[in-house]
Amino acid sequence: MSKLNCEEARKLSIVDYLAKCGINPVNVRGNNHWYLSPLREEKHASFKVDSHKNLWFDHGMGEGGNFIDLGIRLHRCSVEELLARLSADNYTLSFHPPLATPAEHETASVRDADEARITVLDVSPLQSPDLIAYLNDRGIDPTAARWYCREIKFRIKDKTYTAVGFENRSGGYELRNQWFKGSSSPKDITVISTHDNAQAVCLIEGFIDFLSLQRLRIMPDIPTDIIVLNSVSLIGRSIELLNQYQDVYQYLNHDKAGYSAAEKLKEAGIQTIDASGFYQQHNDINAFLLATKQQVPRQEIKPQTHERPGRGLHR
């Protein structure tokens, strides 16, 4: 077989290729195939492949794209190396017919079809037994969750669902239940001001981790605000806010995306205090919580003092 070019590679079926790699969907709903992400560690399937459009989207990373975009991430290689690999393997699985112009494919990689169709119908106090059971399964205290979360009734296409909703600063919601992980528009970070003129902030990747931290009671022993990214891809939106604090305690995931986000903070001149040591053997805070299966005593994280000139606090 002659060497594949980029146009041919983009037409290769993502679903078929993942199957060839031994990666199978956890759930299939219509054209949407849901997987445990092959790009990072996770416990709930949030990696979606639309077999009709032949595009993928990783909700946890906030990234997506076509076959080539996935291939270079899976194999950690360049485009040329991926094409050579496919050609050497005499790759002959099904080709996917083009469904859109190149321009349409480019814009499709940065949006998720389901999220674009989510319509929030109602916001109410958290009380559904199914959602409470979901929180219990994640080790979350429902009483604490009610302080920060709401029960969201939403619609996707012609079907209605409910989920635990965590509001961001722009009025959108992160949505979670036993089978669904998504968000309503607009997507944004969440900022929780817990103290007047707090000089420290905790930077947390997702709200389940934030609620897990509340359950564990492992927090800095000083007044701190909270910033929840809601997706590590939104790290850039936190930088201006982080510059307002003396101390930044970071609780990012122990995976490639988390390390990359930490590096972006460093490049932006944000000096953080790595507070993730207690879950060093786990991907995230919730994984640690579930592993311990019990509340642990409050642990004090000693703040490190360092001068940060020219920082005005704005609330």
Side-chain angles (χ1 to χ4, degrees):
M1 179 178 179
S2 59
K3 184 177 180 180
L4 290 173
N5 58 39
C6 287
E7 182 179 356
E8 291 170 331
R10 277 193 292 267
K11 296 176 184 177
L12 291 170
S13 167
I14 294 174
V15 170
D16 284 358
Y17 187 71
L18 288 175
K20 182 178 184 290
C21 294
I23 303 169
N24 298 305
V26 173
N27 201 331
V28 178
R29 296 192 292 274
N31 295 320
N32 295 329
H33 294 63
W34 291 89
Y35 300 79
L36 292 173
S37 176
L39 304 178
R40 56 191 175 81
E41 294 182 8
E42 66 173 354
K43 299 180 293 294
H44 300 277
S46 64
F47 182 94
K48 188 191 75 172
V49 176
D50 185 326
S51 61
H52 180 65
K53 295 181 178 179
N54 203 37
L55 295 171
W56 62 275
F57 190 88
D58 190 317
H59 287 264
M61 296 174 61
E63 298 179 8
N66 57 37
F67 182 96
I68 293 177
D69 298 320
L70 178 58
I72 60 176
R73 287 169 171 81
L74 275 177
H75 302 297
R76 299 181 182 181
C77 64
S78 67
V79 174
E80 281 298 313
E81 289 169 336
L82 175 65
L83 295 177
R85 182 189 188 103
L86 295 171
S87 301
D89 288 345
N90 194 27
Y91 190 75
T92 58
L93 292 180
S94 62
F95 280 75
H96 195 284
L99 294 170
T101 65
E104 288 173 330
H105 277 303
E106 290 170 5
T107 57
S109 66
V110 297
R111 67 172 183 265
D112 176 65
D114 282 349
E115 290 186 4
R117 296 191 183 104
I118 289 176
T119 302
V120 174
L121 303 175
D122 185 58
V123 180
S124 61
L126 186 57
Q127 59 186 5
S128 164
D130 287 343
L131 298 181
I132 298 302
Y134 164 70
L135 291 171
N136 282 325
D137 287 345
R138 300 298 299 269
I140 304 300
D141 179 3
T143 301
R146 289 188 179 98
W147 281 98
Y148 301 102
C149 302
R150 296 293 181 266
E151 184 167 316
I152 308 297
K153 182 179 180 181
F154 64 100
R155 182 175 63 232
I156 300 178
K157 296 183 180 179
D158 59 345
K159 295 185 178 180
T160 301
Y161 310 95
T162 59
V164 178
F166 182 73
E167 190 173 10
N168 64 44
R169 64 177 180 177
S170 297
Y173 286 91
E174 293 301 304
L175 303 170
R176 303 288 188 276
N177 61 30
Q178 290 283 8
W179 61 270
F180 181 79
K181 180 178 180 180
S183 59
S184 67
S185 296
K187 182 90 171 178
D188 205 348
I189 65 175
T190 299
V191 181
I192 302 173
S193 295
T194 60
H195 300 82
D196 292 337
N197 299 317
Q199 299 294 307
V201 63
C202 292
L203 180 67
I204 305 171
E205 194 157 322
F207 83 92
I208 294 295
D209 284 331
F210 165 58
L211 295 175
S212 298
L213 202 59
Q214 295 286 310
R215 180 69 181 269
L216 290 163
R217 296 182 295 170
I218 303 176
M219 297 283 285
D221 196 27
I222 55 174
T224 58
D225 289 342
I226 306 292
I227 294 178
V228 181
L229 292 173
N230 295 319
S231 172
V232 73
S233 66
L234 301 181
I235 189 70
R237 300 188 188 186
S238 71
I239 289 175
E240 183 177 355
L241 290 172
L242 295 177
N243 272 306
Q244 300 175 19
Y245 294 91
Q246 180 71 28
D247 295 297
V248 177
Y249 295 87
Q250 65 98 346
Y251 298 82
L252 300 176
N253 288 5
H254 294 146
D255 57 19
K256 184 178 179 181
Y259 301 143
S260 176
E263 187 62 29
K264 288 178 182 178
L265 292 177
K266 184 178 180 181
E267 292 172 356
I270 305 294
Q271 297 182 21
T272 67
I273 299 168
D274 187 354
S276 70
F278 70 92
Y279 60 97
Q280 188 62 47
Q281 303 304 314
H282 302 274
N283 184 62
D284 56 34
I285 304 170
N286 186 244
F288 171 80
L289 172 61
L290 293 176
T292 61
K293 296 183 180 178
Q294 60 182 357
Q295 291 207 185
V296 298
R298 180 183 180 86
Q299 298 181 23
E300 181 179 343
I301 299 174
K302 297 290 186 182
Q304 300 176 11
T305 58
H306 42 266
E307 294 298 323
R308 317 211 37 204
R311 291 180 152 215
L313 289 176
H314 303 285
R315 296 287 186 268

